[in-house]
Amino acid sequence: YLIPLSSSHYPVNQTTMHRPSLSACQLILRSFGRSGGNIVASRRFASSMNVRDALNSAMKEEIERDPNVFLMGEEVAQYEGAYKVSKGLWKLMGDKRVIDTPITEMGFAGLAVGAAMAGLRPICEFMTFNFSMQAIDHVINSAAKTYYMSAGDVKVPIVFRGPNGAAAGVAAQHSQDFASWYSHCPGLKVVSPWNSEDARGLLKAAIRDNDPVVCLENEMMYGVSFEVSPECESKDFLIPIGKAKIEIPGNHISLISYGKFVGLCVEAAAELAKEGIQCEVLNLRTLRPLDEEAIVKSVMKTHHVVTVESCWPQCGMGAEIAARIMESQAFDYLDAPLTRMTGADVPMPYAQALEAAALPQVADIVRVVRRTLNRAAK
Amino acid sequence: MLSTRPYKLHKLESGPASEAQVTSDEARKYYRDMATVRRMETAAGNLYKEKAIRGFCHLYSGQEACCVGMEAVLDRNDPVITAYRAHGWTYTRGVPVKAVLSELTGRASGCAKGKGGSMHMYNHNFYGGNGIVGAQVPLGAGIAFAQKYREDKRVCVTLYGDGAANQGQVFEAFNMAKLWDLPCIFVCENNKYGMGTAVERAAASTAYYTRGDYIPGLWVDAMDVITVREATRFAKDWCLSGKGPILLEMETYRFSY
């Protein structure tokens, strides 16, 4: 088992497969401590937080910090959030700051954009991004384009957030990954957190950003806990929008992903490390603007690349990354073509076995990495 | 004293004044503003025919009494948002004629630096100029929401056409505006045609002032500027006294596409 040095990378609890043995984790934490820091007992600086609490605390702090920030969406107030992401916020902040909307996405997204144009800073929650399609005219035509159309006169400091991509058995109309649709559009910023640190830092940065930001979360990650650094717990902890993060450095192949699938890449990397294959796992964190520099640098180092996402293949994120690599100096450093691992080109089926087959799994990533590297063997 | 033209009421016990005081200075100002809008729109129409203006150019000719009559009661702190037939409002909201025509002809000296065009002109407390039919209505409800949030004692005027009146999002906006008592004056500028289609062919009910249902409404003969002015005064008082939103149907006419 290859366990990364920095404790914030590695999930303590996980809903899927590979659980690290707890004693091994504790052992590593005690001997390595934090990267570059003093070696001290883990209890003093590492704490555990799940993604739900990361998002919850981020919103709570930003609402407390700025009187113009408020949260609106279906079930966010009295029900405490369809997935409990806004648990406790309405009780604490009241009706003015945490607002339940009717089930009318087009109406309330438009209302939220209008409020943003008039100087407030709404967090507009879509129960899932599938429902954002009903409101997508407001995300794109009313929010994304207005700063440009008004030649800089009208700002739209809004955050659209909610779960994106597949959950578990929610079938075709509730499982779409909107990463490529939203990251296609100039005027939007698009972020997609993987772990708790990402969730806190990116959401806080999004709320403080004066442009419309789409924050694509994942329902399956809400309950997953991660070690977080003390910096992460600071009220001013921000992750810069537009910068990817190398979760695990490696020399043989770049695994580029976002959101939940970063976790699968981390697991695949651990398995491949046993056979001496060093995967570099690049967590994009931001989809627009894409951190092209990080992608190019990684591919120039490893000469091999696999992208992992749950968007459908055509015009997905992998397609964009492939094009960017071809357009850059990294092209000359490739020893094999890019493989994009994507959702299968079907509406998401319901049956569990079919759903699993329609999405990239750890075993698939491992197989594709081996194939990519053999193709390059002399 | 001048008489206003008769109003029709929906869920209102009484309506605007039937008589109004107009000074000769006011009358001259209204006339001047309406004539300026007409001249500006005529010039724009000619430039469009010469192809100096590209794309869309929706002229306000015929509807001048609506924007001028409403602005007589509004002040620059009351935000306004409208759809794409926006040049008249752009002028009354303080954008000079030259800046409007420059924008229409794609010049950097245009009010949106040539980046917006006919449908995307803005000013302080004027949120355009919106190209997507009906989209401005929830946006306007949102602006009214922001005013209520900040406890500004202002109304937001949200205009839409007879065509947009059938959009689902308009009813979604009505619902939230009424639910949350938003200080929003919804104004349907009924010029009898939605794009090229006459109202009777598009709407099961053309009594637009009643289509806010639980929102009280007023039908206004908007070819008369004083009638419009008094209706606006009534509506502004209504909203500012905390009674929630109100809907005005301004029946008018346009001379062009």
Side-chain angles (χ1 to χ4, degrees), chain A residues 40-316:
Chain A
V40 290
S42 62
R43 221 166 290 143
R44 222 166 285 153
F45 51 81
S47 65
S48 176
M49 181 188 284
N50 66 26
V51 173
R52 175 183 294 112
D53 290 340
L55 296 166
N56 183 287
S57 59
M59 288 195 285
K60 174 177 170 291
E61 288 160 19
E62 294 305 303
I63 293 173
E64 281 168 347
R65 175 183 177 268
D66 184 342
N68 290 321
V69 177
F70 67 97
L71 170 66
M72 78 186 318
E74 295 160 12
E75 311 297 335
V76 298
Q78 296 189 14
Y79 192 80
E80 304 203 284
Y83 306 103
K84 305 299 180 207
V85 176
S86 52
K87 188 177 163 111
L89 296 185
W90 173 70
K91 284 199 182 113
L92 196 58
M93 321 274 187
D95 285 331
K96 183 173 172 176
R97 313 298 296 283
V98 185
I99 298 160
D100 280 334
T101 63
I103 310 172
T104 54
E105 275 80 2
M106 195 169 189
F108 73 70
L111 191 147
V113 174
M117 289 178 179
L120 298 184
R121 302 186 76 93
I123 305 167
C124 177
E125 178 177 302
F126 290 120
M127 194 180 282
T128 76
F129 268 94
N130 301 285
F131 316 132
S132 75
M133 282 200 280
Q134 300 199 291
I136 202 165
D137 179 65
H138 283 297
V139 180
I140 307 303
N141 279 322
S142 304
K145 295 180 185 172
T146 292
Y147 186 71
Y148 184 88
M149 292 192 295
S150 68
D153 265 354
V154 183
K155 294 189 185 50
V156 189
I158 191 169
V159 175
F160 297 102
R161 53 158 290 275
N164 176 56
V170 291
Q173 295 178 341
H174 291 75
S175 302
Q176 190 168 330
D177 184 335
F178 288 86
S180 65
W181 283 27
Y182 285 120
S183 62
H184 184 60
C185 302
L188 280 185
K189 291 175 180 161
V190 182
V191 299
S192 190
W194 165 48
N195 60 14
S196 301
E197 187 159 317
D198 286 357
R200 255 184 77 75
L202 289 172
L203 184 55
K204 283 162 97 52
I207 293 166
R208 295 190 195 188
D209 199 297
N210 288 329
D211 290 322
V213 183
V214 168
C215 180
L216 302 172
E217 303 157 9
N218 192 293
E219 188 206 319
M220 305 301 285
M221 295 306 293
Y222 286 156
V224 180
S225 289
F226 295 86
E227 299 285 327
V228 294
S229 60
E231 291 85 67
C232 178
E233 293 179 307
S234 149
K235 291 204 157 88
D236 288 319
F237 175 68
L238 301 172
I239 287 179
I241 293 179
K243 289 267 162 263
K245 181 183 183 196
I246 299 173
E247 297 290 349
I248 303 174
N251 285 321
H252 297 152
I253 185 164
S254 301
L255 300 181
I256 304 178
S257 187
Y258 62 90
K260 180 177 135 186
F261 294 87
V262 176
L264 272 70
C265 292
V266 167
E267 285 188 58
E271 199 171 311
L272 289 159
K274 294 182 210 167
E275 6 179 329
I277 296 174
Q278 295 170 27
C279 299
E280 176 148 292
V281 177
L282 185 66
N283 174 5
L284 289 172
R285 287 180 153 179
T286 300
L287 302 177
R288 175 180 262 273
L290 207 54
D291 191 349
E292 187 174 321
E293 195 186 315
I295 293 168
V296 167
K297 191 168 165 197
S298 180
V299 173
M300 282 172 65
K301 183 169 87 160
T302 65
H303 315 301
H304 301 84
V305 56
V306 171
T307 62
V308 188
E309 64 189 299
S310 59
C311 286
W312 294 308
Q314 186 164 333
C315 304

Side-chain angles (χ1 to χ4, degrees), chain B:
Chain B
M1 292 293 272
L2 294 178
S3 298
T4 56
R5 306 234 180 114
Y7 301 97
K8 293 187 227 173
L9 309 182
H10 169 73
K11 302 217 168 141
L12 283 167
E13 310 243 304
S14 60
S18 52
E19 280 194 325
Q21 180 88 327
V22 185
T23 67
S24 59
D25 279 346
E26 285 170 340
R28 264 195 283 270
K29 176 176 170 25
Y30 304 154
Y31 180 73
R32 189 185 180 85
D33 285 342
M34 289 192 286
T36 304
V37 172
R38 177 65 66 93
R39 291 287 181 93
M40 178 180 77
E41 294 294 78
T42 306
N46 290 334
L47 286 167
Y48 188 78
K49 286 176 194 134
E50 289 170 30
K51 299 199 200 296
I53 296 176
R54 300 163 55 242
F56 297 113
C57 190
H58 303 97
L59 301 178
Y60 204 70
S61 309
Q63 301 186 204
E64 298 86 352
C66 183
C67 65
V68 171
M70 293 198 80
E71 290 278 21
V73 166
L74 302 173
D75 65 54
R76 287 290 163 76
N77 289 317
D78 295 312
V80 171
I81 187 169
T82 186
Y84 52 65
R85 195 171 302 281
H87 307 157
W89 281 101
T90 309
Y91 171 72
T92 59
R93 284 272 107 183
V95 178
V97 171
K98 188 170 167 187
V100 171
L101 294 175
S102 297
E103 182 62 32
L104 289 172
T105 50
R107 286 166 160 71
S109 53
C111 57
K113 302 185 185 150
K115 292 188 179 180
S118 169
M119 299 183 288
H120 308 295
M121 301 188 193
Y122 306 83
N123 201 10
H124 176 64
N125 271 330
F126 178 54
Y127 294 89
N130 287 274
I132 305 296
V133 171
Q136 75 279 9
V137 180
L139 295 178
I143 296 164
F145 177 94
Q147 292 177 296
K148 186 170 181 185
Y149 187 100
R150 283 192 297 250
E151 296 171 33
D152 293 343
K153 292 279 172 225
R154 300 284 166 208
V155 294
C156 178
V157 176
T158 300
L159 296 126
Y160 60 98
D162 50 273
N166 300 315
Q167 277 258 323
Q169 60 185 317
V170 169
F171 297 95
E172 295 185 18
F174 287 167
N175 181 46
M176 286 182 284
K178 184 65 180 166
L179 202 55
W180 299 333
D181 282 322
L182 301 183
C184 194
I185 303 175
F186 294 105
V187 181
C188 178
E189 287 177 313
N190 174 14
N191 57 26
K192 317 285 182 54
Y193 289 87
M195 294 193 302
T197 299
V199 292
E200 304 76 38
R201 296 181 59 240
S205 162
T206 54
Y208 298 101
Y209 71 107
T210 67
R211 291 180 64 191
D213 187 7
Y214 36 74
I215 296 179
L218 205 53
W219 177 90
V220 181
D221 181 345
M223 297 311 269
D224 180 81
V225 69
I226 302 303
T227 304
V228 171
R229 186 184 81 174
E230 295 313 307
T232 309
R233 198 189 306 283
F234 178 88
K236 186 168 171 176
D237 289 342
W238 179 274
C239 283
L240 288 180
S241 64
K243 296 190 181 118
I246 191 168
L247 200 160
L248 303 179
E249 177 187 341
M250 299 284 181
E251 191 167 308
T252 179
Y253 195 79
R254 61 168 158 95
F255 293 107
S256 69
Y257 178 72

